[in-house]
Amino acid sequence: MLYTINNYGTILDNYAYPQGDIAMAMNESAEVMAASRGIVGYDSDSLIESMKEQHEQTVKSFEEYLEKIRPTMITKEGTACMDTIDKAWAEYKEVDAKVIEVGATTDTAKSLQAQQMMTDEAAPKYQALDDALQKLMDLNISLGNAERAQLRTIMIAALTIIIIVIAVSTIYSNSLSVAISKSIEKPLNELKDRFITFAEGDIDSPLPTVESEDEIKELVSGVSAMSDRIRVIIKDSGRMLNEMSEGNFAIDTECEESIYRSIYRFADRHKKNE
């Protein structure tokens, strides 16, 4: 996307925006020739001087537009086209200067001579310049369209990749969520079944093995510890009952700590429930 945005800006800067400057340069070149025609066509010194000033301004304006266009020539074709324009402009200026030198006068014969020079010599040079400018404009259109088509292809490819990535990510996340839910559901079901048997009095069967490091493992560890304490208490109770059946009433429990811990926990839980 960044590549597309950057190159789209390049298309605008080097192919689209310069078209206006090229059009203005073509207009100024026409104004240069029109000013030259005025210089060799008028028979008034004041009008001739006025047209000379206009000629100088249009020449300067044309060359300024050329300099604005020049940095946008980033391709070999554009550079070659610009070289052709420079050559055509130099040749036209040379002939144009000769025409003005001959025809900037009120002398009718010289004026007619200069007008003929414009027709025979300057007009072909001007046409070559105008053709070179038009060719540059056509080249920019061609290169701009080619770049735009390439960017469109890249954008379509990028969007396709994004859609594929989203689809793959969705499928993977769904598969992962199913796997995670199954990994949680299985040990929970095993724990449920084991707790039922535990409540029914089976304290000897092992509890399910839990590999995950989470609350389920802590629950299993707590129940396992409770099961161990119950077995110790039952075993100790059996031992004391056996001693008492043989007449030995001066006995004491060997798991006093476990009994007290269980009593304290029961009392504490009962107090919280109240």
Side-chain angles (χ1 to χ4, degrees):
M1 289 301 180
L2 292 175
Y3 173 84
T4 301
I5 293 171
N6 180 66
N7 280 270
Y8 187 74
T10 300
I11 291 174
L12 293 177
D13 292 338
N14 296 310
Y15 302 126
Y17 297 151
Q19 296 294 75
D21 293 330
I22 295 171
M24 290 302 298
M26 294 175 73
N27 180 71
E28 292 300 321
S29 67
E31 291 293 330
V32 170
M33 191 167 191
S36 298
R37 289 185 184 279
I39 292 171
V40 302
Y42 286 129
D43 57 0
S44 167
D45 289 334
S46 61
L47 290 174
I48 291 173
E49 289 301 319
S50 175
M51 293 308 298
K52 279 186 175 181
E53 291 178 4
Q54 182 178 332
H55 181 272
E56 291 177 1
Q57 291 175 358
T58 52
V59 167
K60 181 181 179 181
S61 179
F62 175 80
E63 291 179 343
E64 286 175 352
Y65 278 114
L66 285 188
E67 294 309 310
K68 288 178 67 177
I69 297 167
R70 196 180 306 280
T72 66
M73 299 296 103
I74 60 174
T75 64
K76 291 181 179 180
E77 298 93 334
T79 302
C81 205
M82 200 68 201
D83 290 342
T84 302
I85 292 172
D86 289 335
K87 182 174 181 293
W89 173 239
E91 292 177 353
Y92 173 77
K93 279 183 70 178
E94 183 180 356
V95 174
D96 186 59
K98 292 179 181 178
V99 169
I100 293 173
E101 183 180 358
V102 173
T105 178
T106 56
D107 187 297
T108 303
K110 288 187 176 180
S111 178
L112 290 174
Q113 181 186 353
Q115 292 176 31
Q116 189 63 43
M117 290 174 63
M118 288 199 70
T119 301
D120 296 340
E121 301 178 37
K125 299 298 182 181
Y126 170 79
Q127 189 61 49
L129 174 62
D130 192 67
D131 290 344
L133 288 167
Q134 183 62 53
K135 182 179 178 181
L136 179 58
M137 184 172 283
D138 294 340
L139 178 64
N140 277 352
I141 293 173
S142 176
L143 293 176
N145 288 339
E147 287 286 342
R148 186 175 62 178
Q150 182 180 1
L151 289 181
R152 185 182 294 113
T153 301
I154 293 173
M155 286 185 67
I156 292 173
L159 289 174
T160 302
I161 292 172
I162 290 172
I163 291 171
I164 292 173
V165 169
I166 292 173
V168 171
S169 298
T170 302
I171 294 172
Y172 176 76
S173 61
N174 288 337
S175 301
L176 184 61
S177 62
V178 170
I180 292 174
S181 63
K182 286 184 178 180
S183 67
I184 295 174
E185 181 182 7
K186 182 180 178 182
L188 285 177
N189 287 333
E190 292 177 350
L191 280 175
K192 180 193 71 174
D193 296 337
R194 180 63 186 94
F195 286 165
I196 291 174
T197 59
F198 186 84
E200 292 174 349
D202 181 8
I203 61 173
D204 295 319
S205 298
L207 292 168
T209 302
V210 179
E211 300 295 337
S212 61
E213 297 293 335
D214 53 17
E215 290 81 359
I216 297 176
K217 186 171 184 178
E218 292 179 3
L219 176 62
V220 172
S221 298
V223 173
S224 178
M226 181 178 67
S227 176
D228 291 339
R229 286 195 297 272
I230 291 174
R231 281 197 295 271
V232 170
I233 292 171
I234 291 174
K235 181 180 179 181
D236 187 60
S237 297
R239 179 188 63 79
M240 288 191 295
L241 289 173
N242 185 55
E243 290 289 335
M244 291 172 65
S245 67
E246 294 180 357
N248 181 15
F249 294 98
I251 59 173
D252 197 2
T253 179
E254 294 179 353
C255 55
E256 183 176 352
E257 183 180 352
S258 296
I259 293 174
Y260 286 156
R261 186 184 301 119
S262 299
I263 292 172
Y264 291 153
R265 288 185 176 177
F266 176 79
D268 185 58
R269 185 163 57 250
H270 181 68
K271 184 177 179 180
K272 288 180 178 178
N273 290 336
E274 289 180 348

